[in-house]
Short mmCIF file of all heavy atoms in Angstrom, two decimals:
data_model
loop_
_atom_site.label_atom_id
_atom_site.label_comp_id
_atom_site.label_asym_id
_atom_site.label_seq_id
_atom_site.Cartn_x
_atom_site.Cartn_y
_atom_site.Cartn_z
N VAL B 90 -183.54 132.15 249.44
CA VAL B 90 -184.98 132.64 249.39
C VAL B 90 -185.66 132.76 250.88
O VAL B 90 -186.11 133.72 251.23
CB VAL B 90 -185.85 131.76 248.57
CG1 VAL B 90 -187.30 132.18 248.65
CG2 VAL B 90 -185.45 131.88 247.12
N MET B 91 -185.27 131.70 251.71
CA MET B 91 -185.68 131.67 253.02
C MET B 91 -185.18 132.82 253.80
O MET B 91 -185.96 133.51 254.44
CB MET B 91 -185.30 130.41 253.73
CG MET B 91 -186.01 129.16 253.50
SD MET B 91 -187.74 129.23 254.14
CE MET B 91 -187.24 129.09 255.93
N VAL B 92 -183.94 133.01 253.66
CA VAL B 92 -183.32 134.14 254.50
C VAL B 92 -183.87 135.48 254.10
O VAL B 92 -184.11 136.35 254.98
CB VAL B 92 -181.74 134.13 254.20
CG1 VAL B 92 -181.12 135.32 254.95
CG2 VAL B 92 -181.11 132.80 254.85
N LEU B 93 -183.97 135.65 252.75
CA LEU B 93 -184.48 136.92 252.29
C LEU B 93 -185.88 137.24 252.77
O LEU B 93 -186.16 138.36 253.23
CB LEU B 93 -184.35 136.89 250.75
CG LEU B 93 -184.41 138.24 250.06
CD1 LEU B 93 -183.18 139.12 250.58
CD2 LEU B 93 -184.28 138.08 248.53
N ALA B 94 -186.76 136.11 252.74
CA ALA B 94 -188.17 136.34 253.11
C ALA B 94 -188.18 136.55 254.66
O ALA B 94 -188.90 137.42 255.06
CB ALA B 94 -188.83 135.07 252.88
N MET B 95 -187.35 135.92 255.40
CA MET B 95 -187.25 136.02 256.81
C MET B 95 -186.90 137.40 257.19
O MET B 95 -187.55 138.04 258.08
CB MET B 95 -186.36 135.01 257.32
CG MET B 95 -186.78 134.48 258.68
SD MET B 95 -185.58 133.16 259.05
CE MET B 95 -183.97 134.05 259.03
N LEU B 96 -185.79 137.93 256.57
CA LEU B 96 -185.33 139.25 257.00
C LEU B 96 -186.26 140.41 256.59
O LEU B 96 -186.47 141.32 257.30
CB LEU B 96 -184.01 139.57 256.39
CG LEU B 96 -182.84 138.59 256.87
CD1 LEU B 96 -181.52 138.88 256.09
CD2 LEU B 96 -182.62 138.84 258.33
N THR B 97 -186.90 140.27 255.51
CA THR B 97 -187.96 141.22 254.96
C THR B 97 -189.01 141.30 255.94
O THR B 97 -189.38 142.40 256.32
CB THR B 97 -188.38 140.94 253.52
OG1 THR B 97 -187.13 140.53 252.87
CG2 THR B 97 -188.98 142.12 252.79
N ALA B 98 -189.54 140.07 256.35
CA ALA B 98 -190.76 140.06 257.20
C ALA B 98 -190.32 140.64 258.53
O ALA B 98 -190.99 141.32 259.23
CB ALA B 98 -191.02 138.56 257.49
N MET B 99 -189.08 140.29 259.06
CA MET B 99 -188.51 140.81 260.28
C MET B 99 -188.53 142.45 260.22
O MET B 99 -188.98 143.04 261.25
CB MET B 99 -187.18 140.40 260.56
CG MET B 99 -186.53 140.82 261.80
SD MET B 99 -184.76 140.66 261.72
CE MET B 99 -184.35 141.97 260.53
N ILE B 100 -188.10 142.98 259.07
CA ILE B 100 -188.02 144.42 259.01
C ILE B 100 -189.48 145.05 259.07
O ILE B 100 -189.66 146.10 259.81
CB ILE B 100 -187.32 144.77 257.74
CG1 ILE B 100 -185.79 144.47 257.83
CG2 ILE B 100 -187.50 146.27 257.43
CD1 ILE B 100 -185.08 144.51 256.40
N ALA B 101 -190.41 144.30 258.27
CA ALA B 101 -191.74 144.82 258.40
C ALA B 101 -192.31 144.80 259.92
O ALA B 101 -192.84 145.78 260.29
CB ALA B 101 -192.58 143.96 257.49
N VAL B 102 -192.09 143.76 260.60
CA VAL B 102 -192.51 143.60 261.93
C VAL B 102 -191.86 144.72 262.71
O VAL B 102 -192.52 145.41 263.54
CB VAL B 102 -192.27 142.20 262.49
CG1 VAL B 102 -192.58 142.15 263.97
CG2 VAL B 102 -193.08 141.15 261.72
N ILE B 103 -190.62 144.90 262.70
CA ILE B 103 -190.01 145.85 263.59
C ILE B 103 -190.44 147.23 263.30
O ILE B 103 -190.72 148.02 264.07
CB ILE B 103 -188.42 145.68 263.39
CG1 ILE B 103 -187.90 144.40 263.98
CG2 ILE B 103 -187.75 146.92 264.10
CD1 ILE B 103 -186.37 144.20 263.91
N SER B 104 -190.63 147.46 261.85
CA SER B 104 -191.13 148.80 261.52
C SER B 104 -192.55 149.09 262.14
O SER B 104 -192.77 150.32 262.73
CB SER B 104 -191.23 149.00 259.99
OG SER B 104 -190.05 148.60 259.34
N ALA B 105 -193.39 147.96 262.08
CA ALA B 105 -194.67 148.25 262.69
C ALA B 105 -194.56 148.48 264.21
O ALA B 105 -195.20 149.32 264.74
CB ALA B 105 -195.54 147.04 262.26
N ALA B 106 -193.69 147.84 264.79
CA ALA B 106 -193.44 147.86 266.25
C ALA B 106 -193.11 149.31 266.68
O ALA B 106 -193.57 149.81 267.57
CB ALA B 106 -192.51 146.81 266.79
N VAL B 107 -192.13 149.81 265.85
CA VAL B 107 -191.58 151.21 266.09
C VAL B 107 -192.87 152.18 265.92
O VAL B 107 -192.89 153.00 266.84
CB VAL B 107 -190.40 151.57 265.05
CG1 VAL B 107 -190.23 152.98 265.08
CG2 VAL B 107 -189.26 150.71 265.34
N PHE B 108 -193.61 152.03 264.92
CA PHE B 108 -194.87 152.86 264.71
C PHE B 108 -195.69 152.85 265.92
O PHE B 108 -196.05 153.87 266.55
CB PHE B 108 -195.55 152.62 263.51
CG PHE B 108 -196.80 153.39 263.25
CD1 PHE B 108 -196.60 154.64 262.76
CD2 PHE B 108 -198.02 152.91 263.64
CE1 PHE B 108 -197.80 155.47 262.63
CE2 PHE B 108 -199.13 153.72 263.50
CZ PHE B 108 -199.07 154.97 262.99
N LEU B 109 -195.85 151.62 266.46
CA LEU B 109 -196.89 151.44 267.48
C LEU B 109 -196.30 152.18 268.79
O LEU B 109 -196.98 152.76 269.65
CB LEU B 109 -197.19 149.99 267.80
CG LEU B 109 -197.96 149.40 266.57
CD1 LEU B 109 -198.33 147.94 266.91
CD2 LEU B 109 -199.39 150.18 266.58
N LEU B 110 -194.99 151.91 268.91
CA LEU B 110 -194.20 152.59 270.15
C LEU B 110 -194.41 154.04 270.20
O LEU B 110 -194.67 154.67 271.11
CB LEU B 110 -192.80 152.19 270.02
CG LEU B 110 -191.93 152.57 271.31
CD1 LEU B 110 -192.38 151.91 272.56
CD2 LEU B 110 -190.43 152.35 271.10
N GLY B 111 -194.38 154.67 268.89
CA GLY B 111 -194.46 156.09 268.80
C GLY B 111 -195.78 156.58 269.19
O GLY B 111 -196.02 157.71 269.60
N ARG B 112 -196.78 155.64 269.06
CA ARG B 112 -198.15 156.13 269.32
C ARG B 112 -198.48 155.74 270.81
O ARG B 112 -199.63 156.05 271.25
CB ARG B 112 -199.16 155.28 268.43
CG ARG B 112 -199.21 155.69 266.97
CD ARG B 112 -200.02 156.97 266.81
NE ARG B 112 -199.60 157.55 265.50
CZ ARG B 112 -198.67 158.33 265.43
NH1 ARG B 112 -197.90 158.79 266.45
NH2 ARG B 112 -198.25 158.99 264.32
N SER B 113 -197.67 155.19 271.51
CA SER B 113 -198.00 154.69 272.85
C SER B 113 -198.13 155.92 273.84
O SER B 113 -197.58 156.95 273.59
CB SER B 113 -197.00 153.61 273.35
OG SER B 113 -195.70 154.42 273.48
N ALA B 114 -198.77 155.65 274.93
CA ALA B 114 -198.99 156.72 275.82
C ALA B 114 -197.50 157.15 276.56
O ALA B 114 -197.41 158.29 276.86
CB ALA B 114 -199.95 156.26 277.01
N PHE B 115 -196.64 156.20 276.60
CA PHE B 115 -195.42 156.41 277.32
C PHE B 115 -194.62 157.60 276.55
O PHE B 115 -194.15 158.46 277.09
CB PHE B 115 -194.58 155.17 277.38
CG PHE B 115 -193.18 155.32 277.65
CD1 PHE B 115 -192.87 155.81 279.03
CD2 PHE B 115 -192.27 154.95 276.79
CE1 PHE B 115 -191.52 155.99 279.36
CE2 PHE B 115 -190.89 155.21 277.24
CZ PHE B 115 -190.55 155.69 278.42
N VAL B 116 -194.58 157.30 275.06
CA VAL B 116 -193.81 158.28 274.29
C VAL B 116 -194.41 159.62 274.18
O VAL B 116 -193.96 160.59 274.32
CB VAL B 116 -193.59 157.64 272.89
CG1 VAL B 116 -192.98 158.64 271.99
CG2 VAL B 116 -192.67 156.43 272.97
N ALA B 117 -195.86 159.40 274.09
CA ALA B 117 -196.66 160.68 273.90
C ALA B 117 -196.46 161.53 275.29
O ALA B 117 -196.20 162.76 275.15
CB ALA B 117 -198.02 160.32 273.74
N GLY B 118 -196.50 160.85 276.38
CA GLY B 118 -196.28 161.55 277.63
C GLY B 118 -194.94 162.29 277.77
O GLY B 118 -194.93 163.36 278.26
N ALA B 119 -193.90 161.60 277.24
CA ALA B 119 -192.59 162.24 277.17
C ALA B 119 -192.39 163.31 276.16
O ALA B 119 -191.30 163.83 276.16
CB ALA B 119 -191.55 161.09 277.03
N GLY B 120 -193.34 163.57 275.29
CA GLY B 120 -193.23 164.55 274.29
C GLY B 120 -192.31 164.24 273.11
O GLY B 120 -191.85 165.17 272.41
N GLY B 121 -192.07 162.83 272.85
CA GLY B 121 -191.18 162.47 271.76
C GLY B 121 -191.86 161.98 270.53
O GLY B 121 -191.26 161.36 269.74
N ALA B 122 -193.04 162.18 270.50
CA ALA B 122 -193.86 161.71 269.24
C ALA B 122 -193.27 162.09 267.98
O ALA B 122 -193.31 161.36 266.91
CB ALA B 122 -195.25 162.04 269.39
N ALA B 123 -192.68 163.32 267.86
CA ALA B 123 -192.07 163.93 266.59
C ALA B 123 -191.00 163.01 266.13
O ALA B 123 -190.64 163.01 264.88
CB ALA B 123 -191.67 165.32 266.86
N PHE B 124 -190.34 162.31 267.07
CA PHE B 124 -189.25 161.50 266.74
C PHE B 124 -189.58 160.23 265.94
O PHE B 124 -188.72 159.59 265.25
CB PHE B 124 -188.38 161.11 267.98
CG PHE B 124 -187.15 160.45 267.85
CD1 PHE B 124 -186.02 161.32 267.31
CD2 PHE B 124 -186.81 159.28 268.07
CE1 PHE B 124 -184.87 160.89 267.21
CE2 PHE B 124 -185.54 158.80 267.82
CZ PHE B 124 -184.51 159.62 267.36
N PHE B 125 -190.85 159.83 266.05
CA PHE B 125 -191.35 158.65 265.39
C PHE B 125 -192.10 158.99 264.13
O PHE B 125 -192.53 159.99 263.97
CB PHE B 125 -192.28 157.90 266.40
CG PHE B 125 -191.53 157.34 267.59
CD1 PHE B 125 -191.18 158.01 268.72
CD2 PHE B 125 -191.06 155.94 267.31
CE1 PHE B 125 -190.34 157.30 269.68
CE2 PHE B 125 -190.32 155.41 268.39
CZ PHE B 125 -190.05 156.12 269.63
N PRO B 126 -192.25 157.87 263.15
CA PRO B 126 -192.96 158.08 261.98
C PRO B 126 -194.34 158.52 262.27
O PRO B 126 -195.00 158.10 263.30
CB PRO B 126 -192.83 156.76 261.31
CG PRO B 126 -192.51 155.79 262.31
CD PRO B 126 -191.72 156.55 263.47
N ALA B 127 -194.99 159.27 261.35
CA ALA B 127 -196.36 159.74 261.48
C ALA B 127 -197.25 158.76 260.97
O ALA B 127 -198.44 158.58 261.50
CB ALA B 127 -196.49 161.18 260.86
N ARG B 128 -197.03 158.09 259.94
CA ARG B 128 -198.05 157.18 259.44
C ARG B 128 -197.45 155.86 259.10
O ARG B 128 -196.41 155.60 258.87
CB ARG B 128 -198.45 157.75 257.96
CG ARG B 128 -199.45 158.98 258.19
CD ARG B 128 -199.48 159.81 256.91
NE ARG B 128 -199.63 158.92 255.72
CZ ARG B 128 -199.36 159.54 254.44
NH1 ARG B 128 -198.97 160.81 254.42
NH2 ARG B 128 -199.24 158.79 253.43
N LEU B 129 -198.34 154.89 259.43
CA LEU B 129 -197.75 153.30 259.42
C LEU B 129 -197.40 152.90 258.09
O LEU B 129 -196.24 152.45 257.95
CB LEU B 129 -199.07 152.57 260.14
CG LEU B 129 -198.72 151.12 259.99
CD1 LEU B 129 -197.57 150.77 260.91
CD2 LEU B 129 -200.01 150.29 260.57
N TRP B 130 -198.30 152.81 257.16
CA TRP B 130 -198.05 152.01 255.95
C TRP B 130 -196.90 152.64 255.11
O TRP B 130 -195.98 151.90 254.68
CB TRP B 130 -199.31 151.97 255.06
CG TRP B 130 -200.20 150.99 255.74
CD1 TRP B 130 -201.50 151.27 256.31
CD2 TRP B 130 -200.03 149.60 256.10
NE1 TRP B 130 -202.02 150.12 257.02
CE2 TRP B 130 -201.03 149.03 256.85
CE3 TRP B 130 -198.88 148.77 255.81
CZ2 TRP B 130 -201.19 147.83 257.19
CZ3 TRP B 130 -199.02 147.41 256.19
CH2 TRP B 130 -200.02 146.97 256.92
N PRO B 131 -196.78 153.92 254.82
CA PRO B 131 -195.56 154.39 254.07
C PRO B 131 -194.37 154.02 254.82
O PRO B 131 -193.39 153.42 254.05
CB PRO B 131 -195.79 155.95 254.00
CG PRO B 131 -197.22 156.08 254.28
CD PRO B 131 -197.71 154.97 255.24
N PHE B 132 -194.34 154.06 256.06
CA PHE B 132 -193.07 153.79 256.81
C PHE B 132 -192.72 152.22 256.67
O PHE B 132 -191.57 151.87 256.38
CB PHE B 132 -193.43 154.15 258.40
CG PHE B 132 -192.16 153.82 259.15
CD1 PHE B 132 -190.99 154.58 259.08
CD2 PHE B 132 -192.19 152.92 260.18
CE1 PHE B 132 -189.85 154.28 259.78
CE2 PHE B 132 -191.18 152.59 261.02
CZ PHE B 132 -189.93 153.31 260.78
#
Side-chain angles (χ1 to χ4, degrees):
Chain B
V90 170
M91 280 286 291
V92 171
L93 203 52
M95 210 172 62
L96 291 178
T97 314
M99 178 203 73
I100 290 169
V102 170
I103 293 181
S104 302
V107 167
F108 175 78
L109 291 178
L110 183 66
R112 288 283 160 272
S113 67
F115 168 68
V116 172
F124 195 69
F125 286 87
R128 284 164 35 201
L129 174 62
W130 290 113
F132 181 65

